[in-house]
Amino acid sequence: MTTDLKSAGVRARFRDAALAAVRGLVLALVMPPLSALCLTLAVASVALVPFGLGIFTTPQILDAVRDFADTRRRLAAEWCGVRIPAPAHRRIPGDAHAWTRTVLMLSDRATWRDLWWLVVDMTAGCLTAALPAVLFFYPFEGFAVAAGLWRVLADGRTYWYGFVPVTGQPSALGAAATAAVLLVAAYHLAPGLLRSHFTLTRAALGSGRGELTERVKVLTETRRDAVGTSAAELRRIERDLHDGAQARLVAMGMDLSVIEMLVEKDPAQAKLLLARARRNSAETLEELRDLVRGIHPPVLAERGLGDAVRALALRLPLAAEVTVELSGRAEAPVESAAYFAVSEVLTNAVKHSGADRLWVDLHHTEGMLRISVGDNGRGGAVAGGGTGLTGIERRLGTFDGVLAVSSPAGGPTLVTLEIPCALS
């Protein structure tokens, strides 16, 4: 029974070594040419970006490089149990313009790490993948030499098998002994050597300290922006209360004091003051409602983002079409950020685009809330540079959201917002 178990263990170990050798051979023969092809295409495409052609080819080629890297991650996990975490690539809206996609992908640290891995895979990666194959298959040549193949291979000359010069049958047997040693080494080392290849791959593809530092920097900036935005919002609320509702309430208090004195002496004047106080109370209530709507619209809390955007579009002076495909509701902070971002984009379109028609599309797919806002105006909108779109980027950045703008001169303009979230 014990002998059978040992025999089964040896067979399993030998099978693992053979499988590691075959897989290493595949990696050494197939993958480096593909890596070289991907790297060549990527470098050529990036070089063509200044000439315009690369703007359209670079995103597709870099996507192919990412897919190739993901394939290697999957093989590492399936063949050797080596987990290579996928990097947090910069999110790119699906509707982004080719130029926007190119810029975002080339400014992504993970893209350059993928390209660096291609270089490593063609050189050191090829060597480490070939080692288990060579160590396992090379001994069979030694056995063939000992079986008489040396007579054909030598042809009157000294034939070297490794470091053994084969000139006759005795030296051929020495080659066989060397082959046996190598086969025993392959039996023990081949799986580990293949694992070393994927360990090298993980070192080249895995997230490094630089990316973590960049991530901490981004989170720090978004937190600072969120705090600044909240402080500015509080100051706005205080200013609106002080200049609007508070002033009206003070005036109402003064009118009521005068009415109290005139109610018996001059009832007619008291009635006029009461009417004015009633108007002030109605206007104060309306201002408070507007203020609350600016903080968190009631329709957003009660009906959700889709109906809130529809209500927003109804108040616009332009024709607006809203399409909503949401199967549930996002968390309240996400809905609020998305609502005010859409509100800001629509306000900018009304003020600056010269359009006569707007459209808004909201849908959720693959864990992403995607909102597209378009107009048929004159175009020319640019994110950054201190424009209103910068504030929207900061608002979305708090939730790891992104903003992409496609606005060629002459229009149309399409602003796409994406926020990762789940619907309930």
Side-chain angles (χ1 to χ4, degrees), residues 92-147:
I92 303 174
D95 299 333
H97 191 268
W99 171 253
T100 303
R101 290 176 57 84
T102 300
V103 171
L104 290 177
M105 295 183 80
L106 290 180
S107 61
D108 189 354
R109 183 188 296 269
T111 296
W112 296 102
R113 187 171 57 252
D114 290 343
L115 295 177
W116 163 245
W117 164 72
L118 293 177
V119 177
V120 174
D121 191 55
M122 291 187 301
T123 54
C126 179
L127 177 63
T128 55
L131 280 177
V134 171
L135 197 61
F136 184 84
F137 291 115
Y138 189 54
F140 292 98
E141 180 186 345
F143 297 144
V145 167

Side-chain angles (χ1 to χ4, degrees), residues 30-203:
V30 177
M31 295 303 179
L34 292 178
S35 297
L37 177 62
C38 289
L39 182 62
T40 302
L41 292 176
V43 172
S45 183
V46 172
L48 291 174
V49 168
F51 302 98
L53 180 60
I55 296 174
F56 302 97
T57 60
T58 299
Q60 283 73 24
I61 293 175
L62 293 182
D63 280 335
V65 171
R66 291 181 180 183
D67 292 339
F68 185 45
D70 289 338
T71 300
R72 189 61 61 88
R73 291 185 179 94
R74 186 173 65 254
L75 291 180
E78 293 176 356
W79 288 1
C80 287
V82 177
R83 304 293 176 181
I84 305 176
H89 286 291
R90 179 169 294 177
R91 295 184 181 87
I92 303 174
D95 299 333
H97 191 268
W99 171 253
T100 303
R101 290 176 57 84
T102 300
V103 171
L104 290 177
M105 295 183 80
L106 290 180
S107 61
D108 189 354
R109 183 188 296 269
T111 296
W112 296 102
R113 187 171 57 252
D114 290 343
L115 295 177
W116 163 245
W117 164 72
L118 293 177
V119 177
V120 174
D121 191 55
M122 291 187 301
T123 54
C126 179
L127 177 63
T128 55
L131 280 177
V134 171
L135 197 61
F136 184 84
F137 291 115
Y138 189 54
F140 292 98
E141 180 186 345
F143 297 144
V145 167
L149 185 63
W150 67 272
R151 294 184 175 87
V152 178
L153 297 176
D155 192 22
R157 299 184 302 272
T158 300
Y159 175 76
W160 289 85
Y161 175 78
F163 57 86
V164 178
V166 179
T167 56
Q169 191 59 39
S171 57
L173 294 177
T178 303
V181 172
L182 292 176
L183 189 60
V184 172
Y187 171 83
H188 291 284
L189 300 178
L193 290 175
L194 183 64
R195 190 174 296 108
S196 69
H197 166 79
F198 288 117
T199 301
L200 176 65
T201 303
R202 181 172 59 189

Side-chain angles (χ1 to χ4, degrees), residues 211-403:
E211 181 177 349
L212 293 177
T213 302
E214 182 68 20
R215 180 62 177 158
V216 170
K217 179 181 177 182
V218 171
L219 290 176
T220 302
E221 291 177 352
T222 55
R223 183 186 62 182
R224 184 174 62 248
D225 291 338
V227 172
T229 301
S230 299
E233 188 70 9
L234 287 175
R235 289 193 298 270
R236 182 190 68 82
I237 294 171
E238 292 174 353
R239 183 176 63 253
D240 290 347
L241 287 174
H242 181 272
D243 297 341
Q246 180 177 331
R248 291 186 182 278
L249 289 173
V250 171
M252 285 176 56
M254 295 175 62
D255 286 343
L256 291 175
S257 299
V258 175
I259 291 170
E260 187 178 8
M261 292 185 295
L262 294 177
V263 68
E264 293 182 358
K265 298 179 181 179
D266 192 349
Q269 183 64 26
K271 289 181 180 180
L272 292 176
L273 292 176
L274 279 173
R276 187 169 71 180
R278 185 172 62 251
R279 288 195 303 271
N280 284 339
S281 67
E283 292 172 356
T284 301
L285 181 60
E286 186 64 26
E287 286 188 3
L288 290 175
R289 287 174 176 170
D290 291 339
L291 183 62
V292 171
R293 188 179 296 112
I295 300 172
H296 195 79
V299 66
L300 179 61
E302 297 170 2
R303 303 290 299 277
L305 180 61
D307 286 340
V309 172
R310 288 192 181 100
L312 187 64
L314 289 175
R315 297 198 298 269
L316 296 175
L318 304 179
E321 178 184 351
V322 179
T323 303
V324 179
E325 296 179 4
L326 299 177
S327 59
R329 296 191 57 176
E331 295 181 353
V334 174
E335 284 192 335
S336 180
Y339 173 83
F340 286 109
V342 172
S343 176
E344 181 70 19
V345 173
L346 291 175
T347 301
N348 289 341
V350 171
K351 289 182 178 179
H352 308 297
S353 69
D356 57 18
R357 187 170 67 88
L358 304 170
W359 59 91
V360 184
D361 177 75
L362 297 89
H363 64 275
H364 185 273
T365 179
E366 298 180 353
M368 195 75 64
L369 174 64
R370 178 176 295 169
I371 306 173
S372 300
V373 183
D375 66 68
N376 62 347
R378 65 177 66 95
V382 179
T387 64
L389 295 176
T390 302
I392 298 175
E393 285 183 309
R394 291 176 177 174
R395 185 187 294 273
L396 299 180
T398 307
F399 302 93
D400 276 349
V402 295
L403 173 118

